[in-house]
Amino acid sequence: MVLVLLTVLRFSIEKTDTRARLGRLVLPHGTVCTPCFMPVGTQGSVKTLTPAEVVESGAEIIVCNTYHLYLRPGYKRVQAAGGLAKFIGWSRPILTDSGGFQVYSLAALTRVTDEGAEFQSHVDGSRHLFTPELVVEIQEALGSDIAMCLDECPPYSVSRPVAEAAVARTSLWAERCSRARQPDTNLFGIVQGATYADLRETSAKSLVALDLPGYAIGGLCLGEASDVTYDMVGRVVPLLPVDRPRYLMGAGYPEDIIAAVRLGIDMFDCVLPTRNGRTGTAFTSAGRVAIRNSRYADDPAMLDLMCDCYTCRGFTRAYLRHLFVVGEALGPKLLTLHNVRFYQRLMQNIRAAVERGAFDRWSSEFLDRYRPGAEPAGNESDR
Amino acid sequence: MVLVLLTVLRFSIEKTDTRARLGRLVLPHGTVCTPCFMPVGTQGSVKTLTPAEVVESGAEIIVCNTYHLYLRPGYKRVQAAGGLAKFIGWSRPILTDSGGFQVYSLAALTRVTDEGAEFQSHVDGSRHLFTPELVVEIQEALGSDIAMCLDECPPYSVSRPVAEAAVARTSLWAERCSRARQPDTNLFGIVQGATYADLRETSAKSLVALDLPGYAIGGLCLGEASDVTYDMVGRVVPLLPVDRPRYLMGAGYPEDIIAAVRLGIDMFDCVLPTRNGRTGTAFTSAGRVAIRNSRYADDPAMLDLMCDCYTCRGFTRAYLRHLFVVGEALGPKLLTLHNVRFYQRLMQNIRAAVERGAFDRWSSEFLDRYRPGAEPAGNESDR
């Protein structure tokens, strides 16, 4: 299938249920039903899964990362290979994160000025400068269906002056990104402001003035209390144009996604299903299952009786635990496969509930069954 | 599919081409065409692959390991779960190696007497005694389609007296294994004798006297020169009953398999396709490819144009290299998938060549194209 990347996104709201929205997002590589969850394929691979398995999960769009792909294999190499989708064997839409978050969290950060973010590679220590213009150029070279503005993303707990400066710089950079982009590049702005409600509002308003194809809320889901997250989202959403997709970056747990859909969010991404799958925690309709637990050593049950994934069709908890205990790669793979499917079923159920005007009832029934369990044991990162 | 494990194997030779044989091996869990290659699933998983992917490769039988499964998860646990095939989600035949090789190579070996091999677990240092009777009991509890005798497997370079003692003990143990087995257990004897031709012959004759359902040649492919391997195989095979399957343990490279088929071997297993896949070396129709090599950084070609596997249908060498360079689990998985399929296609081609009486011509054509390349970089073990 050859698709020419010359279409700006079309977004239509099919149905609303209070503030929850059922939408259709038409992108150059295909159509995405929203609210959607985008599995994370940071370095051009949703960890442990083949592209065919990601398609099988029901995912219609994935997230890749500008910072990582810029360092390895290099964006010009990917461009020469025909673009990111072709390079990684994924024929559906891709959203690329701008790399702002990674510059702050992974790289040895040397200096941020209004010009851009100068950093040292976490791979080899080489020095690089990300400007708003370069970040747009990279994402256009990758052929991203949705590109993100370069933003300054400080920790949620920063002081007001730091948050204020980050908001100002994020707005300045968004304007430069917007000027630099090709007309057909689907560039999303990123609202910052840490946990200061008025700064969030300032940030949202200045980005909306740029009339971008979509808007994200960044700098949340980084460790702050959930009610703070929801409070910030609840204040920002009403300021965003109703006809543009809204993306809450980095959320999250099923309960967070449900809360954010209720506030009017359309798009989500998070490393939880993949990272927790790799480290031995499964999401199930009854809550989280830490599969290494010795209670599962003789458990003949499947992970989740409500699930239709390959893992839940053929493997007992006892076998899955065995794979983790002996260190077989198939364990992380089978749990990731399940978790990614779990998140897609979650979104399918959310969409079906909004469709029939029953989102509140559905979500309280879901949350009645779903008990958040033990935290994952590992601390591996895939951002 | 429910199959009752009450059938002793049936083996029929459909065709011979000089000494190469085309056979059918009927086992409790299914039929295996020979010459066959059995992927290694030591701990109950062919590393990185799902059972569905192993089936897709064309493999009709896999090898699991008594020593590893005895230690973890424990054979009584597997038995209670309905047997090994059910536990690991594999519906086809399984051959279990007796664990003799692992006791010598992995465990901290304390003492071998005629009674058995007393060893310390490589997992937790606990002490265990493998007797011929226990090893049969374990394999019967696992529900193996083919069980192997406990053998004493010294390095190929041992002195004659050590090899002589190993042959004597292996024969003694084989007799005890044979007495201990249920009548329907497909027990194979293992010919030892290091590189001493007369000891190999002594070993073969004493095992053949036990009238076992099949025979293996062990203690080879451990580092000795190929012509020594072939010499030993060539001396042992004529002593084995023509109507029983012959299994050369641990072979090997494609060129070794072809040479052994020519000598009349029917069954093979080796960690090479899986281990090399994980560490970045692919087997292709043109020889071995070390995918991390920088020459592949921009290579738009698939791994092997002659291959029909999932990897070769969708991923360039450039992308596969990228996955290895950045450490994505998908890299080892895609290369393993390809290698396992490569070995199954190799065996299919061997069988087709024997079928049409053209084994010699086919094998010289194959070896003309196939240039053994660089050795794999890693040294990970899965035995």
Side-chain angles (χ1 to χ4, degrees), chain A residues 318-335:
Chain A
Y319 179 60
L320 295 172
R321 175 178 186 270
H322 167 67
L323 292 174
F324 272 92
V325 167
V326 301
E328 284 287 346
L330 185 59
K333 193 276 179 35
L334 288 177
L335 248 63

Side-chain angles (χ1 to χ4, degrees), chain B residues 329-341:
Chain B
L330 186 59
K333 192 273 177 40
L334 289 176
L335 249 64
T336 302
L337 192 71
H338 165 77
N339 282 350
V340 168
R341 176 64 186 144

Side-chain angles (χ1 to χ4, degrees), chain A residues 107-169:
Chain A
L109 179 65
T110 311
R111 211 163 50 101
V112 179
T113 64
D114 283 350
E115 189 196 1
E118 196 185 339
F119 61 93
Q120 273 196 305
S121 159
H122 77 287
V123 177
D124 63 4
S126 56
R127 298 185 72 80
H128 305 270
L129 174 66
F130 265 10
T131 62
E133 292 78 11
L134 176 60
V135 159
V136 168
E137 178 191 327
I138 297 168
Q139 293 178 89
E140 288 176 345
L142 295 173
S144 310
D145 291 75
I146 297 175
M148 303 300 296
C149 286
L150 186 64
D151 61 334
E152 181 167 352
C153 181
Y156 73 90
S157 54
V158 288
S159 69
R160 187 177 170 92
V162 173
E164 219 159 22
V167 164
R169 189 165 279 145

Side-chain angles (χ1 to χ4, degrees), chain B residues 133-382:
Chain B
E133 291 79 10
L134 176 61
V135 159
V136 169
E137 179 191 326
I138 297 169
Q139 294 178 89
E140 289 177 344
L142 294 173
S144 310
D145 291 76
I146 296 175
M148 302 300 294
C149 286
L150 185 66
D151 61 333
E152 182 167 352
C153 180
Y156 73 90
S157 54
V158 290
S159 69
R160 186 177 170 88
V162 173
E164 218 159 22
V167 164
R169 190 165 279 146
T170 296
S171 294
L172 175 74
W173 287 356
E175 202 185 326
R176 282 170 53 193
C177 283
S178 182
R179 270 205 306 272
R181 70 167 166 146
Q182 299 297 313
D184 55 349
T185 296
N186 293 317
L187 180 72
F188 278 29
I190 305 176
V191 175
Q192 290 291 348
T195 55
Y196 302 96
D198 62 319
L199 295 183
R200 287 276 168 191
E201 289 172 10
T202 305
S203 180
K205 285 176 184 163
S206 77
L207 294 173
V208 168
L210 298 174
D211 191 26
L212 296 169
Y215 294 92
I217 304 176
L220 291 176
C221 311
L222 296 177
E224 76 281 4
S226 292
D227 54 354
V228 175
T229 316
Y230 305 156
D231 183 36
M232 292 300 120
V233 172
R235 284 165 188 268
V236 168
V237 165
L239 304 174
L240 300 176
V242 75
D243 62 345
R244 307 290 157 90
R246 304 160 182 163
Y247 165 26
L248 178 58
M249 303 181 84
Y253 285 100
E255 54 272 30
D256 296 333
I257 289 176
I258 291 169
V261 166
R262 177 172 287 113
L263 295 168
I265 297 292
D266 307 301
M267 301 169 69
F268 299 90
D269 80 295
C270 191
V271 297
L272 276 176
T274 42
R275 182 194 297 164
N276 283 14
R278 287 202 305 292
T279 54
T281 300
F283 291 90
T284 79
S285 48
R288 278 179 270 165
V289 168
I291 199 68
R292 291 171 193 270
N293 197 309
S294 60
R295 75 205 279 190
Y296 301 122
D298 293 294
D299 191 338
M302 306 288 138
L303 260 185
D304 188 350
L305 281 175
M306 315 273 285
C307 185
D308 59 358
C309 81
Y310 175 71
T311 305
C312 289
R313 288 199 310 268
F315 305 95
T316 62
R317 293 177 177 203
Y319 179 60
L320 296 172
R321 175 178 187 270
H322 166 68
L323 292 174
F324 272 92
V325 167
V326 300
E328 283 287 344
L330 186 59
K333 192 273 177 40
L334 289 176
L335 249 64
T336 302
L337 192 71
H338 165 77
N339 282 350
V340 168
R341 176 64 186 144
F342 177 87
Y343 269 70
Q344 292 304 321
R345 282 198 308 113
L346 174 69
M347 304 316 291
Q348 286 167 359
N349 290 336
I350 287 174
R351 292 194 298 265
V354 175
E355 170 86 52
R356 62 177 192 272
F359 180 68
D360 270 341
R361 210 188 60 206
W362 172 84
S363 59
S364 64
E365 282 174 14
F366 175 89
L367 293 169
D368 274 354
R369 280 196 312 274
Y370 182 88
R371 291 166 289 99
E375 283 297 314
N379 60 356
E380 234 183 303
S381 171
D382 49 6

